[in-house]
Amino acid sequence: MLKIFKFKFKTYDKCFTNFFQRFINSRSSLIIESNPCERLHEIYRECLEKGLSTNKPFDIDLEELRKEILDIMDVQNGSAVPIQDSITETRFNQLEQTLENFQENARQMGVIASDFTTRSQEPLNQKIHTLISGLHEMDHLKNQFMDVKIPLELLEYLDQVKNPQLYTKECLARTLNKNKEVNGKIEMYKKFRSVLLKELGEEMPNDTVLYRNLRDRKETSPQDDMEIDDPSD
C-alpha cells in the first residue's frame, strides 16, 4: 500500500511540477485551458484518503477530522452541506478563478512583450487594461479573506516552484517528530517520578507514605463524588 501511495504521489508531483513550470514560463506560447494533472490528483487523493481511513497514521481519524475540524457533511449519506461551507466554497472558487485569469493574462502579456512587433501594441494595451481590472477585482475580494491565515513557509515553496502539498507532508513529519519528542519527555518524567519516590521512601518513609495516601485520595475523590446513594437504602 505504501509503495502504491509513493508511486502515485511521485507521478502526480512530477506532472504538476512540469505543468507549473510551463504555466509560469512567459516565453511559452502554450495556452493552457485546464490542469492536465487533475485526474492524477483525484487518484492520489483517493489513495491518500483510503490510506488514512484504513491505517490511521498519526492517530488521524479521517471521518472525525471531516466532522469536527473541517465541518464537512457527507452528501452521499443524504446530509445537506452547511450554508457556511457553501459560502466559504463559493468565495474561494471565485478567488481561484480570478487568480487563474490574472495569471493567464499576465503570461499572455509576457508572450506578447517577448515577441513584440508594431501590430502587438494594441493587444498589449488590452492585456495591460485587463491586468489592471484584475488587480482591482482582487483588491475588492481581499476583505472576504481577512480571516484566512497562510503560512509564510508555503509561499516559499511556491517561490521555489515546489508542489504545495510537500508543505503538508513536511508539516505532518514535523508533527510526528514533535509527538515522539513529547512522548519521550513524558516517559522520562514518569521514570523520574518513580525514582524520586523510591529515594524519598528510603530517606523519609513516613512523609512518603503520607504523600501517597493523599495522592490516592485525590485520584479517587472525583469518582466518589459522582456516586449517588440509592434512595431505597
Side-chain angles (χ1 to χ4, degrees):
M1 181 67 183
L2 182 59
K3 292 183 179 179
I4 297 176
F5 171 76
K6 289 183 177 180
F7 173 75
K8 291 182 178 180
F9 172 76
K10 289 181 179 179
T11 304
Y12 166 69
D13 182 61
K14 182 178 179 180
C15 176
F16 181 84
T17 301
N18 294 334
F19 159 70
F20 191 62
Q21 289 176 346
R22 288 187 290 114
F23 182 80
I24 64 175
N25 186 2
S26 61
R27 296 185 178 276
S28 175
S29 59
L30 177 64
I31 299 178
I32 301 173
E33 299 293 340
S34 61
N35 184 0
C37 308
E38 185 173 357
R39 179 54 185 165
L40 291 175
H41 177 261
E42 290 293 330
I43 297 175
Y44 164 67
R45 189 183 68 178
E46 291 175 1
C47 179
L48 177 62
E49 291 181 352
K50 183 178 180 181
L52 289 175
S53 301
T54 305
N55 301 323
K56 295 184 179 180
F58 317 121
D59 295 329
I60 295 177
D61 190 329
L62 188 59
E63 294 301 324
E64 183 179 353
L65 185 67
R66 283 173 172 167
K67 293 179 181 179
E68 297 184 2
I69 300 179
L70 300 180
D71 195 25
I72 296 178
M73 294 184 177
D74 191 353
V75 181
Q76 296 179 351
N77 293 334
S79 301
V81 178
I83 297 178
Q84 185 64 33
D85 285 352
S86 178
I87 296 175
T88 301
E89 183 178 358
T90 301
R91 65 170 181 166
F92 277 106
N93 289 339
Q94 183 180 2
L95 177 62
E96 182 179 1
Q97 185 63 43
T98 303
L99 289 174
E100 288 179 354
N101 293 337
F102 183 83
Q103 290 175 343
E104 180 62 22
N105 287 324
R107 190 185 69 83
Q108 292 180 8
M109 188 180 71
V111 173
I112 296 174
S114 63
D115 191 18
F116 187 81
T117 62
T118 54
R119 297 181 179 180
S120 303
Q121 186 62 53
E122 185 62 26
L124 181 62
N125 293 339
Q126 293 178 358
K127 289 299 178 183
I128 292 175
H129 287 297
T130 304
L131 286 179
I132 294 174
S133 300
L135 290 173
H136 282 298
E137 185 176 358
M138 285 188 287
D139 184 70
H140 178 71
L141 292 174
K142 69 179 182 180
N143 294 329
Q144 301 180 20
F145 299 91
M146 300 300 292
D147 59 326
V148 179
K149 306 297 182 182
I150 300 178
L152 294 179
E153 295 180 8
L154 181 59
L155 300 180
E156 295 178 359
Y157 275 73
L158 296 177
D159 291 338
Q160 298 172 8
V161 198
K162 292 183 179 180
N163 191 336
Q165 293 189 2
L166 290 176
Y167 173 76
T168 304
K169 178 183 177 182
E170 293 188 3
C171 282
L172 289 175
R174 289 198 299 266
T175 302
L176 178 61
N177 293 333
K178 188 65 176 180
N179 184 56
K180 291 181 179 179
E181 179 183 348
V182 172
N183 288 337
K185 290 181 179 180
I186 292 174
E187 291 298 323
M188 290 299 298
Y189 280 122
K190 288 181 179 179
K191 293 180 180 179
F192 173 74
R193 184 182 66 175
S194 299
V195 174
L196 180 61
L197 288 176
K198 180 180 178 181
E199 295 294 333
L200 289 175
E202 295 177 357
E203 297 294 333
M204 298 179 292
N206 295 332
D207 293 336
T208 304
V209 171
L210 179 61
Y211 163 73
R212 289 180 181 273
N213 292 334
L214 291 174
R215 185 187 63 180
D216 293 339
R217 289 178 184 176
K218 289 183 179 180
E219 291 178 353
T220 57
S221 58
Q223 183 177 358
D224 295 339
D225 294 339
M226 294 176 62
E227 294 181 356
I228 302 176
D229 295 337
D230 189 350
S232 61
D233 291 344

